C-alpha cells in the first residue's frame, strides 16, 4: 500500500494471516512515511513475476494509481474492483493476479469480502486463455 491505505492494509493483513495465508508486506508501514503508490505497486508486480508470490493485493486511495504501476510489469494483470462480482470475474475470465482496492472508497467489510473472493476463485481457461494471451502479448 501507499501511505493513504495503511489502515485498510493492516485489517487485510490481520484477516488473511488469521486464515493461514502467508503474507508479504511491501510497505508503507506508517501514515507518516509518505510512499508514492508506484513503488509498492511495482514491488508486488515484480515479486509475482519472479515467482516469489502467487497473487497480490494492492491498496491506495482509489486503487487506480497503484494498479497502473503494477500493470506496467509484463505478465501482470491488475484489476481495480469495487465489489465482489468484479473481483471474481477478474480472475475467472482475465486470470487477474493482482487485486487493487481503493481505501478511500471501500469499507473494510467489503474489502475483506473482495479479497476472499479474489483469492478463492480459479481461472476458467478455455477460450478466455486466448484473450489473456492477446493482452499479455501487447507490446508498447
Amino acid at each position: 500500500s501507499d501511505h493513504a491505505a495503511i489502515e485498510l492494509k493492516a485489517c487485510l493483513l490481520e484477516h488473511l494471516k488469521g486464515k493461514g495465508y502467508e503474507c508479504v508486506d511491501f510497505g508503507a508501514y506508517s501514515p507518516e512515511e509518505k510512499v508514492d503508490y508506484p513503488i509498492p505497486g511495482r514491488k508486488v508486480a515484480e515479486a509475482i513475476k519472479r515467482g516469489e508470490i502467487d497473487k497480490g493485493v494492492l491498496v491506495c486511495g482509489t486503487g487506480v494509481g497503484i494498479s497502473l504501476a503494477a500493470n506496467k510489469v509484463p505478465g501482470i494483470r491488475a484489476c481495480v474492483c469495487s465489489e465482489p462480482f468484479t473481483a471474481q470475474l477478474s480472475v475467472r475470465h482475465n486470470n487477474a493476479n493482482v487485486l487493487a482496492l481503493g481505501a478511500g472508497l471501500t469499507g473494510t467489510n467489503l474489502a475483506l469480502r473482495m479479497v476472499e473472493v479474489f483469492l478463492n476463485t480459479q481461472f476458467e481457461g478455455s477460450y478466455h486463455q486466448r484473450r489473456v494471451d492477446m493482452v499479455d502479448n501487447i507490446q508498447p
Side-chain angles (χ1 to χ4, degrees):
S1 74
D2 66 1
H3 57 277
I6 296 280
E7 289 181 33
L8 181 57
K9 180 185 72 171
C11 291
L12 295 173
L13 282 170
E14 181 181 346
H15 176 79
L16 292 171
K17 287 178 181 178
K19 293 238 176 211
Y21 286 96
E22 182 180 343
C23 301
V24 180
D25 184 351
F26 289 90
Y29 304 106
S30 76
E32 293 77 33
E33 174 194 9
K34 301 299 181 199
V35 173
D36 296 319
Y37 59 79
I39 295 169
R42 182 178 185 177
K43 285 181 181 179
V44 169
E46 289 178 342
I48 292 170
K49 184 175 180 179
R50 289 190 303 268
E52 297 170 4
I53 59 176
D54 297 321
K55 289 189 173 185
V57 177
L58 297 172
V59 193
C60 69
T62 64
V64 174
I66 204 162
S67 71
L68 292 174
N71 278 321
K72 289 289 190 174
V73 175
I76 299 304
R77 292 170 302 280
C79 295
V80 181
C81 297
S82 57
E83 40 70 35
F85 187 63
T86 305
Q88 180 187 62
L89 289 181
S90 72
V91 177
R92 282 179 49 201
H93 293 181
N94 308 113
N95 202 15
N97 48 14
V98 176
L99 172 66
L101 302 172
L105 308 172
T106 307
T108 302
N109 289 337
L110 183 58
L112 290 170
R113 178 72 183 124
M114 284 189 284
V115 169
E116 286 285 338
V117 166
F118 175 77
L119 294 176
N120 291 300
T121 299
Q122 297 297 313
F123 177 52
E124 289 180 357
S126 183
Y127 63 89
H128 297 294
Q129 184 62 57
R130 180 175 58 84
R131 294 172 182 156
V132 170
D133 291 342
M134 289 171 74
V135 170
D136 284 348
N137 289 322
I138 294 172
Q139 299 297 319

